[in-house]
Amino acid sequence: MPNAYQNFLSQLDRALAVVPKPVSLVATLQTPNRIIEHTLSIHKDNGAEQSLSAYRIQHNNWRGPYKGGIRFHPQVDLDEVKTLAALMTFKTAVAGIPMGGGKGGVTVDPKTLSAGERERLNRAWTNAFRADIGPTVDVPAPDVNTGSADMDVIAAEFGHPAVVTGKSITHGGSVGRDTATAQGGWYVFEALRSHLNLGPDPLTVVIQGFGNAGATFANIAHALGHKIIAVSDSSGAIHNSAGLDIPALHLYKTAHRSVQGFPGAENLTNSAMLELPCDLLIPAALESQITGENAPRIKAKVILELANGPVTTAADDILFAQNISVIPDILANSGGVTVSYFEWDQNMKSEHWSALEVDQKLRDHMNAAATAVQTIAVQHGTDLRRAAFIVALNRLQETESKQK
Ligand code: NAD
């Protein structure tokens, strides 16, 4: 399997084969502007020193400050952070927000850190990257295994709330950020629905991952009367063709830390769950879940990528040939970064928007983004992923030419 950055480059190439762009523009977008690496040193509670590799990749800032999360994970490496930073450049452009693309990471297993060690790590990260971040320069956010408490520490250490987004509400966070990715995904789906090969309501929905993005999506679809027939988490999957009781499942998951064993549902493996017939399949966990190997067995009508990179390029071609629509990550999960931008905007203007205001603006942004992608897909007779990359390339080219 190609490494993640090669997969990004091939996604870019496939869009460029439909709509060619100048060589100099492409060359700039194929390479991050800056790769910044530091070795952080933190005091452990037992008095020892621990050295950790930390990264910030600034991919592109033509449209605005670099934007993207900080990931804490034992497998974080340069290739992964570079890929996620590049995808952020394209995601912010598709979402139509005045931000660029960046990403950060620390190679660490967060389960090994005490609360004090974690706070010292966040302070060390801020001080190591202090000269490279800032409200008008580079604005990090939470990512896998980081959250609002980490962002609150970084903002306090840096000394300005707008240096990061995803803060707690009491520290300058925005209402609606916690549900933005799933809500934005739903608005994108609604905007595209009439173009998708789907029957009438209620829809049958399968969701991989019952965390922030997946569980919130389950709440939204369930509240609208659709049938969530299967969900999974890292322990495995559950299935009930009559539909799962999502509020009861939340209570069960809190009590048992797993969805498996939920009364009235049958357990099945994660891989078998992905192959269930359904209207809407929502990967909301990990990358590379639908590959050239299992794509021929996928029976969903539509796949909405709430996770980053869950469908490989090889799978894309097989799914397209099977008439299965894939709504790509850079469009489908762009609600998260869109409300992050709203948080930054509120901080910069010292404003506090209501939940209603945030929701209306999110819906408008997602509608506009989805419509732009659909229009290009029809114009060029191509799939939604290539179309989303083309929308982003057109917008990046426009901004680049204004800067010349
Ligand atoms: P999360 O940690 O809250 O949830 C992840 C879920 O996936 C958990 O329920 C976990 O148990 C489950 N999981 C882990 N391994 C699994 C496996 N092998 N099979 C099935 N389930 C598994 O994370 P999240 O914030 O919901 O993010 C999920 C995905 O969405 C990631 O790819 C992330 O990059 C992407 N995303 C999230 C946001 C956001 O705002 N939260 C924004 C954009 C993209």
Side-chain angles (χ1 to χ4, degrees):
M1 197 182 287
N3 70 26
Y5 201 73
Q6 279 168 351
N7 200 57
F8 156 72
L9 290 176
S10 79
Q11 288 177 345
L12 184 57
D13 280 348
R14 287 151 67 96
L16 289 164
V18 180
V19 176
K21 294 289 178 190
V23 172
S24 63
L25 176 110
V26 174
T28 307
L29 292 171
Q30 282 171 334
T31 319
N33 284 356
R34 286 185 73 202
I35 295 175
I36 313 160
E37 289 182 67
H38 289 291
T39 302
L40 308 181
S41 180
I42 60 160
H43 288 293
K44 298 290 282 180
D45 293 342
N46 64 8
E49 286 282 319
Q50 185 178 8
S51 292
L52 297 166
S53 299
Y55 306 93
R56 186 72 188 166
I57 310 299
Q58 299 178 330
H59 180 263
N60 187 278
N61 65 348
W62 288 338
R63 293 176 50 83
Y66 301 104
K67 186 91 197 79
I70 303 171
R71 177 171 290 202
F72 287 177
H73 198 278
Q75 262 114 47
V76 160
D77 63 16
L78 193 55
D79 181 68
E80 177 183 62
V81 187
K82 255 174 75 181
T83 308
L84 293 165
L87 287 174
M88 287 305 295
T89 296
F90 287 82
K91 195 180 295 187
T92 52
V94 172
I97 57 174
M99 294 269 169
K103 206 81 179 186
V106 178
T107 313
V108 65
D109 181 354
K111 291 195 200 92
T112 63
L113 299 172
S114 70
E117 289 164 352
R118 189 169 179 131
E119 178 167 343
R120 292 196 284 283
L121 170 56
N122 281 315
R123 292 192 193 286
W125 196 94
T126 312
N127 289 314
F129 292 91
R130 182 176 288 279
D132 309 302
I133 59 174
T136 58
V137 183
D138 183 347
V139 185
D143 192 72
V144 172
N145 290 327
T146 53
S148 57
D150 302 297
M151 298 305 114
D152 291 349
V153 173
I154 295 175
E157 186 71 11
F158 186 86
H160 197 300
V163 69
V164 283
T165 59
K167 300 174 293 290
S168 60
I169 305 279
T170 47
H171 289 78
S174 177
V175 293
R177 174 62 190 88
D178 49 348
T179 54
T181 300
Q183 189 62 63
W186 183 262
Y187 289 148
V188 165
F189 171 68
E190 270 189 335
L192 296 176
R193 168 125 192 213
S194 62
H195 305 283
L196 301 166
N197 173 29
L198 292 172
D201 286 354
L203 300 171
T204 51
V205 184
V206 170
I207 304 178
Q208 184 193 40
F210 203 64
N212 175 296
T216 309
F217 194 90
N219 293 345
I220 294 166
H222 183 263
L224 290 167
H226 300 294
K227 280 204 284 187
I228 319 299
I229 59 165
V231 305
S232 65
D233 60 19
S234 53
S235 66
I238 53 168
H239 173 226
N240 179 343
S241 54
L244 298 161
D245 178 345
I246 297 300
L249 181 58
H250 276 281
L251 296 174
Y252 182 88
K253 163 106 185 167
T254 307
H256 298 83
R257 293 173 160 208
S258 156
V259 294
Q260 282 217 319
F262 182 60
E266 54 160 346
N267 289 341
L268 73 171
T269 63
N270 229 306
S271 48
M273 186 199 75
L274 292 175
E275 296 167 19
L276 288 171
C278 62
D279 292 312
L280 200 47
L281 172 61
I282 315 289
L286 307 168
E287 53 277 355
S288 302
Q289 295 300 295
I290 301 170
T291 63
E293 193 279 314
N294 62 354
R297 299 190 298 277
I298 299 292
K299 294 174 209 75
K301 292 183 182 149
V302 175
I303 299 175
L304 179 87
E305 294 184 328
L306 284 190
N308 284 312
V311 177
T312 65
T313 305
D316 259 344
D317 289 339
I318 296 167
L319 297 168
F320 192 58
Q322 287 171 198
N323 206 19
I324 298 172
S325 302
V326 179
I327 306 177
D329 47 8
I330 59 170
L331 171 64
N333 70 34
S334 66
V337 74
T338 299
V339 176
S340 275
Y341 159 63
F342 296 165
E343 177 178 332
W344 176 87
D345 201 23
Q346 290 170 79
N347 293 158
M348 295 300 270
K349 296 172 177 162
S350 296
E351 289 179 1
H352 299 278
W353 303 348
S354 68
L356 188 65
E357 195 173 353
V358 168
D359 188 56
Q360 277 168 350
K361 286 179 198 279
L362 175 64
R363 187 191 283 253
D364 291 348
H365 267 78
M366 294 297 99
N367 266 334
T371 306
V373 171
Q374 173 63 25
T375 305
I376 291 285
V378 170
Q379 194 181 328
H380 293 283
T382 193
D383 60 278
L384 293 170
R385 193 182 313 280
R386 285 180 177 85
F389 268 85
I390 294 167
V391 168
L393 281 165
N394 289 346
R395 290 176 179 173
L396 286 159
Q397 184 176 21
E398 215 172 278
T399 328
E400 186 216 16
S401 58
K402 278 190 198 140
Q403 290 179 347
K404 280 185 179 160

